[in-house]
PDB file of all heavy atoms in Angstrom:
ATOM      1  N   GLU A  20      -6.938 -14.693  23.522  1.00  0.00           N
ATOM      2  CA  GLU A  20      -5.997 -14.205  22.515  1.00  0.00           C
ATOM      3  C   GLU A  20      -6.783 -13.569  21.388  1.00  0.00           C
ATOM      4  O   GLU A  20      -7.859 -14.051  21.017  1.00  0.00           O
ATOM      5  CB  GLU A  20      -5.136 -15.358  21.985  1.00  0.00           C
ATOM      6  CG  GLU A  20      -4.078 -14.930  20.976  1.00  0.00           C
ATOM      7  CD  GLU A  20      -3.285 -16.109  20.428  1.00  0.00           C
ATOM      8  OE1 GLU A  20      -3.469 -17.234  20.937  1.00  0.00           O
ATOM      9  OE2 GLU A  20      -2.504 -15.893  19.486  1.00  0.00           O
ATOM     10  N   ALA A  21      -6.260 -12.473  20.854  1.00  0.00           N
ATOM     11  CA  ALA A  21      -6.905 -11.796  19.721  1.00  0.00           C
ATOM     12  C   ALA A  21      -5.822 -11.420  18.725  1.00  0.00           C
ATOM     13  O   ALA A  21      -5.066 -10.467  18.935  1.00  0.00           O
ATOM     14  CB  ALA A  21      -7.669 -10.565  20.181  1.00  0.00           C
ATOM     15  N   LYS A  22      -5.736 -12.175  17.648  1.00  0.00           N
ATOM     16  CA  LYS A  22      -4.670 -11.990  16.665  1.00  0.00           C
ATOM     17  C   LYS A  22      -5.228 -11.293  15.426  1.00  0.00           C
ATOM     18  O   LYS A  22      -6.090 -11.837  14.738  1.00  0.00           O
ATOM     19  CB  LYS A  22      -4.075 -13.338  16.278  1.00  0.00           C
ATOM     20  CG  LYS A  22      -2.875 -13.246  15.328  1.00  0.00           C
ATOM     21  CD  LYS A  22      -2.431 -14.633  14.866  1.00  0.00           C
ATOM     22  CE  LYS A  22      -1.973 -15.471  16.040  1.00  0.00           C
ATOM     23  NZ  LYS A  22      -1.489 -16.805  15.575  1.00  0.00           N
ATOM     24  N   PRO A  23      -4.747 -10.062  15.129  1.00  0.00           N
ATOM     25  CA  PRO A  23      -5.226  -9.367  13.928  1.00  0.00           C
ATOM     26  C   PRO A  23      -4.586  -9.934  12.662  1.00  0.00           C
ATOM     27  O   PRO A  23      -3.400 -10.259  12.649  1.00  0.00           O
ATOM     28  CB  PRO A  23      -4.784  -7.914  14.150  1.00  0.00           C
ATOM     29  CG  PRO A  23      -4.223  -7.852  15.532  1.00  0.00           C
ATOM     30  CD  PRO A  23      -3.828  -9.239  15.909  1.00  0.00           C
ATOM     31  N   HIS A  24      -5.383 -10.051  11.604  1.00  0.00           N
ATOM     32  CA  HIS A  24      -4.880 -10.439  10.281  1.00  0.00           C
ATOM     33  C   HIS A  24      -5.191  -9.288   9.323  1.00  0.00           C
ATOM     34  O   HIS A  24      -6.358  -8.951   9.111  1.00  0.00           O
ATOM     35  CB  HIS A  24      -5.544 -11.728   9.798  1.00  0.00           C
ATOM     36  CG  HIS A  24      -5.158 -12.941  10.591  1.00  0.00           C
ATOM     37  ND1 HIS A  24      -4.102 -13.741  10.242  1.00  0.00           N
ATOM     38  CD2 HIS A  24      -5.682 -13.470  11.727  1.00  0.00           C
ATOM     39  CE1 HIS A  24      -3.989 -14.736  11.125  1.00  0.00           C
ATOM     40  NE2 HIS A  24      -4.941 -14.581  12.028  1.00  0.00           N
ATOM     41  N   ILE A  25      -4.151  -8.695   8.771  1.00  0.00           N
ATOM     42  CA  ILE A  25      -4.333  -7.553   7.879  1.00  0.00           C
ATOM     43  C   ILE A  25      -3.933  -7.949   6.458  1.00  0.00           C
ATOM     44  O   ILE A  25      -3.526  -9.074   6.201  1.00  0.00           O
ATOM     45  CB  ILE A  25      -3.513  -6.339   8.363  1.00  0.00           C
ATOM     46  CG1 ILE A  25      -2.013  -6.672   8.328  1.00  0.00           C
ATOM     47  CG2 ILE A  25      -3.935  -5.927   9.757  1.00  0.00           C
ATOM     48  CD1 ILE A  25      -1.111  -5.506   8.655  1.00  0.00           C
ATOM     49  N   GLY A  26      -4.065  -7.013   5.525  1.00  0.00           N
ATOM     50  CA  GLY A  26      -3.656  -7.264   4.147  1.00  0.00           C
ATOM     51  C   GLY A  26      -4.797  -7.472   3.183  1.00  0.00           C
ATOM     52  O   GLY A  26      -4.569  -7.712   2.002  1.00  0.00           O
ATOM     53  N   TYR A  27      -6.040  -7.360   3.655  1.00  0.00           N
ATOM     54  CA  TYR A  27      -7.189  -7.570   2.775  1.00  0.00           C
ATOM     55  C   TYR A  27      -7.511  -6.328   1.936  1.00  0.00           C
ATOM     56  O   TYR A  27      -8.331  -6.385   1.034  1.00  0.00           O
ATOM     57  CB  TYR A  27      -8.425  -7.940   3.607  1.00  0.00           C
ATOM     58  CG  TYR A  27      -8.341  -9.292   4.274  1.00  0.00           C
ATOM     59  CD1 TYR A  27      -7.790  -9.432   5.544  1.00  0.00           C
ATOM     60  CD2 TYR A  27      -8.814 -10.442   3.643  1.00  0.00           C
ATOM     61  CE1 TYR A  27      -7.704 -10.666   6.163  1.00  0.00           C
ATOM     62  CE2 TYR A  27      -8.730 -11.680   4.247  1.00  0.00           C
ATOM     63  CZ  TYR A  27      -8.178 -11.784   5.503  1.00  0.00           C
ATOM     64  OH  TYR A  27      -8.097 -13.018   6.109  1.00  0.00           O
ATOM     65  N   LEU A  28      -6.878  -5.205   2.259  1.00  0.00           N
ATOM     66  CA  LEU A  28      -7.176  -3.952   1.557  1.00  0.00           C
ATOM     67  C   LEU A  28      -5.891  -3.336   0.998  1.00  0.00           C
ATOM     68  O   LEU A  28      -5.725  -2.137   0.949  1.00  0.00           O
ATOM     69  CB  LEU A  28      -7.858  -2.967   2.526  1.00  0.00           C
ATOM     70  CG  LEU A  28      -8.605  -1.784   1.914  1.00  0.00           C
ATOM     71  CD1 LEU A  28      -9.778  -2.258   1.074  1.00  0.00           C
ATOM     72  CD2 LEU A  28      -9.102  -0.852   3.007  1.00  0.00           C
ATOM     73  N   HIS A  29      -4.950  -4.190   0.604  1.00  0.00           N
ATOM     74  CA  HIS A  29      -3.642  -3.687   0.173  1.00  0.00           C
ATOM     75  C   HIS A  29      -3.789  -2.830  -1.075  1.00  0.00           C
ATOM     76  O   HIS A  29      -4.362  -3.265  -2.068  1.00  0.00           O
ATOM     77  CB  HIS A  29      -2.696  -4.850  -0.087  1.00  0.00           C
ATOM     78  CG  HIS A  29      -1.290  -4.434  -0.360  1.00  0.00           C
ATOM     79  ND1 HIS A  29      -0.666  -3.410   0.329  1.00  0.00           N
ATOM     80  CD2 HIS A  29      -0.371  -4.887  -1.240  1.00  0.00           C
ATOM     81  CE1 HIS A  29       0.561  -3.272  -0.116  1.00  0.00           C
ATOM     82  NE2 HIS A  29       0.768  -4.158  -1.083  1.00  0.00           N
ATOM     83  N   ARG A  30      -3.238  -1.616  -1.041  1.00  0.00           N
ATOM     84  CA  ARG A  30      -3.420  -0.653  -2.123  1.00  0.00           C
ATOM     85  C   ARG A  30      -2.155  -0.385  -2.921  1.00  0.00           C
ATOM     86  O   ARG A  30      -2.165   0.445  -3.830  1.00  0.00           O
ATOM     87  CB  ARG A  30      -3.945   0.662  -1.542  1.00  0.00           C
ATOM     88  CG  ARG A  30      -5.323   0.482  -0.930  1.00  0.00           C
ATOM     89  CD  ARG A  30      -5.828   1.746  -0.297  1.00  0.00           C
ATOM     90  NE  ARG A  30      -7.191   1.518   0.180  1.00  0.00           N
ATOM     91  CZ  ARG A  30      -8.215   2.287  -0.125  1.00  0.00           C
ATOM     92  NH1 ARG A  30      -8.060   3.306  -0.918  1.00  0.00           N
ATOM     93  NH2 ARG A  30      -9.416   2.028   0.340  1.00  0.00           N
ATOM     94  N   CYS A  31      -1.055  -0.997  -2.540  1.00  0.00           N
ATOM     95  CA  CYS A  31       0.200  -0.841  -3.283  1.00  0.00           C
ATOM     96  C   CYS A  31       0.645   0.611  -3.372  1.00  0.00           C
ATOM     97  O   CYS A  31       1.251   1.031  -4.364  1.00  0.00           O
ATOM     98  CB  CYS A  31       0.091  -1.425  -4.692  1.00  0.00           C
ATOM     99  SG  CYS A  31      -0.416  -3.144  -4.743  1.00  0.00           S
ATOM    100  N   PHE A  32       0.364   1.395  -2.333  1.00  0.00           N
ATOM    101  CA  PHE A  32       0.672   2.823  -2.394  1.00  0.00           C
ATOM    102  C   PHE A  32       2.148   3.074  -2.660  1.00  0.00           C
ATOM    103  O   PHE A  32       2.527   3.860  -3.536  1.00  0.00           O
ATOM    104  CB  PHE A  32       0.255   3.519  -1.096  1.00  0.00           C
ATOM    105  CG  PHE A  32       0.847   4.897  -0.939  1.00  0.00           C
ATOM    106  CD1 PHE A  32       0.353   5.951  -1.677  1.00  0.00           C
ATOM    107  CD2 PHE A  32       1.935   5.122  -0.105  1.00  0.00           C
ATOM    108  CE1 PHE A  32       0.919   7.216  -1.574  1.00  0.00           C
ATOM    109  CE2 PHE A  32       2.500   6.375   0.013  1.00  0.00           C
ATOM    110  CZ  PHE A  32       1.991   7.434  -0.719  1.00  0.00           C
ATOM    111  N   GLU A  33       3.013   2.411  -1.900  1.00  0.00           N
ATOM    112  CA  GLU A  33       4.440   2.703  -2.006  1.00  0.00           C
ATOM    113  C   GLU A  33       4.995   2.311  -3.370  1.00  0.00           C
ATOM    114  O   GLU A  33       5.867   3.002  -3.919  1.00  0.00           O
ATOM    115  CB  GLU A  33       5.188   2.007  -0.870  1.00  0.00           C
ATOM    116  CG  GLU A  33       4.799   2.582   0.500  1.00  0.00           C
ATOM    117  CD  GLU A  33       5.420   1.819   1.654  1.00  0.00           C
ATOM    118  OE1 GLU A  33       6.204   0.887   1.395  1.00  0.00           O
ATOM    119  OE2 GLU A  33       5.127   2.158   2.815  1.00  0.00           O
ATOM    120  N   LYS A  34       4.494   1.222  -3.943  1.00  0.00           N
ATOM    121  CA  LYS A  34       4.957   0.821  -5.277  1.00  0.00           C
ATOM    122  C   LYS A  34       4.423   1.780  -6.338  1.00  0.00           C
ATOM    123  O   LYS A  34       5.132   2.109  -7.306  1.00  0.00           O
ATOM    124  CB  LYS A  34       4.494  -0.606  -5.578  1.00  0.00           C
ATOM    125  CG  LYS A  34       5.309  -1.281  -6.671  1.00  0.00           C
ATOM    126  CD  LYS A  34       6.774  -1.407  -6.250  1.00  0.00           C
ATOM    127  CE  LYS A  34       7.621  -2.015  -7.351  1.00  0.00           C
ATOM    128  NZ  LYS A  34       9.051  -2.042  -6.981  1.00  0.00           N
ATOM    129  N   HIS A  35       3.189   2.227  -6.189  1.00  0.00           N
ATOM    130  CA  HIS A  35       2.662   3.246  -7.104  1.00  0.00           C
ATOM    131  C   HIS A  35       3.547   4.491  -7.073  1.00  0.00           C
ATOM    132  O   HIS A  35       3.860   5.078  -8.117  1.00  0.00           O
ATOM    133  CB  HIS A  35       1.239   3.635  -6.697  1.00  0.00           C
ATOM    134  CG  HIS A  35       0.187   2.674  -7.159  1.00  0.00           C
ATOM    135  ND1 HIS A  35       0.109   2.220  -8.452  1.00  0.00           N
ATOM    136  CD2 HIS A  35      -0.843   2.104  -6.492  1.00  0.00           C
ATOM    137  CE1 HIS A  35      -0.917   1.389  -8.563  1.00  0.00           C
ATOM    138  NE2 HIS A  35      -1.507   1.302  -7.391  1.00  0.00           N
ATOM    139  N   ALA A  36       3.924   4.912  -5.848  1.00  0.00           N
ATOM    140  CA  ALA A  36       4.683   6.155  -5.693  1.00  0.00           C
ATOM    141  C   ALA A  36       6.032   6.096  -6.403  1.00  0.00           C
ATOM    142  O   ALA A  36       6.548   7.127  -6.856  1.00  0.00           O
ATOM    143  CB  ALA A  36       4.881   6.459  -4.203  1.00  0.00           C
ATOM    144  N   GLU A  37       6.611   4.914  -6.512  1.00  0.00           N
ATOM    145  CA  GLU A  37       7.917   4.780  -7.149  1.00  0.00           C
ATOM    146  C   GLU A  37       7.827   4.802  -8.677  1.00  0.00           C
ATOM    147  O   GLU A  37       8.859   4.841  -9.352  1.00  0.00           O
ATOM    148  CB  GLU A  37       8.581   3.477  -6.700  1.00  0.00           C
ATOM    149  CG  GLU A  37       8.904   3.446  -5.214  1.00  0.00           C
ATOM    150  CD  GLU A  37       9.279   2.054  -4.745  1.00  0.00           C
ATOM    151  OE1 GLU A  37       9.564   1.195  -5.612  1.00  0.00           O
ATOM    152  OE2 GLU A  37       9.282   1.823  -3.522  1.00  0.00           O
ATOM    153  N   ASN A  38       6.620   4.782  -9.210  1.00  0.00           N
ATOM    154  CA  ASN A  38       6.449   4.724 -10.667  1.00  0.00           C
ATOM    155  C   ASN A  38       5.645   5.892 -11.208  1.00  0.00           C
ATOM    156  O   ASN A  38       5.186   5.850 -12.355  1.00  0.00           O
ATOM    157  CB  ASN A  38       5.761   3.408 -11.053  1.00  0.00           C
ATOM    158  CG  ASN A  38       6.642   2.199 -10.799  1.00  0.00           C
ATOM    159  OD1 ASN A  38       7.459   1.831 -11.629  1.00  0.00           O
ATOM    160  ND2 ASN A  38       6.471   1.567  -9.646  1.00  0.00           N
ATOM    161  N   LEU A  39       5.489   6.939 -10.414  1.00  0.00           N
ATOM    162  CA  LEU A  39       4.727   8.105 -10.835  1.00  0.00           C
ATOM    163  C   LEU A  39       5.515   9.373 -10.523  1.00  0.00           C
ATOM    164  O   LEU A  39       6.280   9.411  -9.556  1.00  0.00           O
ATOM    165  CB  LEU A  39       3.376   8.166 -10.106  1.00  0.00           C
ATOM    166  CG  LEU A  39       2.358   7.082 -10.442  1.00  0.00           C
ATOM    167  CD1 LEU A  39       1.198   7.135  -9.452  1.00  0.00           C
ATOM    168  CD2 LEU A  39       1.837   7.274 -11.866  1.00  0.00           C
ATOM    169  N   PRO A  40       5.319  10.442 -11.299  1.00  0.00           N
ATOM    170  CA  PRO A  40       5.918  11.733 -10.934  1.00  0.00           C
ATOM    171  C   PRO A  40       5.437  12.181  -9.554  1.00  0.00           C
ATOM    172  O   PRO A  40       4.355  11.809  -9.109  1.00  0.00           O
ATOM    173  CB  PRO A  40       5.416  12.672 -12.044  1.00  0.00           C
ATOM    174  CG  PRO A  40       5.117  11.777 -13.193  1.00  0.00           C
ATOM    175  CD  PRO A  40       4.633  10.491 -12.601  1.00  0.00           C
ATOM    176  N   TYR A  41       6.241  12.992  -8.899  1.00  0.00           N
ATOM    177  CA  TYR A  41       5.955  13.397  -7.524  1.00  0.00           C
ATOM    178  C   TYR A  41       4.543  13.954  -7.361  1.00  0.00           C
ATOM    179  O   TYR A  41       3.835  13.611  -6.400  1.00  0.00           O
ATOM    180  CB  TYR A  41       6.976  14.442  -7.064  1.00  0.00           C
ATOM    181  CG  TYR A  41       8.329  13.867  -6.727  1.00  0.00           C
ATOM    182  CD1 TYR A  41       9.318  13.753  -7.711  1.00  0.00           C
ATOM    183  CD2 TYR A  41       8.633  13.442  -5.449  1.00  0.00           C
ATOM    184  CE1 TYR A  41      10.564  13.230  -7.419  1.00  0.00           C
ATOM    185  CE2 TYR A  41       9.883  12.921  -5.135  1.00  0.00           C
ATOM    186  CZ  TYR A  41      10.841  12.803  -6.122  1.00  0.00           C
ATOM    187  OH  TYR A  41      12.074  12.275  -5.824  1.00  0.00           O
ATOM    188  N   GLN A  42       4.117  14.816  -8.273  1.00  0.00           N
ATOM    189  CA  GLN A  42       2.800  15.438  -8.146  1.00  0.00           C
ATOM    190  C   GLN A  42       1.673  14.419  -8.280  1.00  0.00           C
ATOM    191  O   GLN A  42       0.621  14.552  -7.659  1.00  0.00           O
ATOM    192  CB  GLN A  42       2.622  16.530  -9.214  1.00  0.00           C
ATOM    193  CG  GLN A  42       3.486  17.760  -8.990  1.00  0.00           C
ATOM    194  CD  GLN A  42       2.883  18.714  -7.968  1.00  0.00           C
ATOM    195  OE1 GLN A  42       2.314  18.287  -6.976  1.00  0.00           O
ATOM    196  NE2 GLN A  42       3.009  20.007  -8.209  1.00  0.00           N
ATOM    197  N   GLN A  43       1.886  13.377  -9.100  1.00  0.00           N
ATOM    198  CA  GLN A  43       0.817  12.410  -9.328  1.00  0.00           C
ATOM    199  C   GLN A  43       0.660  11.407  -8.189  1.00  0.00           C
ATOM    200  O   GLN A  43      -0.280  10.617  -8.185  1.00  0.00           O
ATOM    201  CB  GLN A  43       1.070  11.672 -10.647  1.00  0.00           C
ATOM    202  CG  GLN A  43       0.947  12.564 -11.870  1.00  0.00           C
ATOM    203  CD  GLN A  43       1.126  11.806 -13.175  1.00  0.00           C
ATOM    204  OE1 GLN A  43       0.939  10.595 -13.230  1.00  0.00           O
ATOM    205  NE2 GLN A  43       1.483  12.528 -14.241  1.00  0.00           N
TER     206      GLN A  43
END
C-alpha cells in the first residue's frame, strides 16, 4: 500500500484570489 499525504505546501491560492483584484 502507498498512501499519499499532501498539504505540506498549502499556498492558500484560492483564498488569496477572493481578496485581490483580478489582475493581482
Side-chain angles (χ1 to χ4, degrees):
E20 183 182 353
K22 184 186 298 182
H24 292 268
I25 63 174
Y27 292 89
L28 197 64
H29 187 40
R30 296 177 176 233
C31 304
F32 165 75
E33 294 174 4
K34 201 62 183 176
H35 280 311
E37 295 168 15
N38 292 275
L39 292 169
Y41 284 90
Q42 290 279 38
Q43 293 183 22

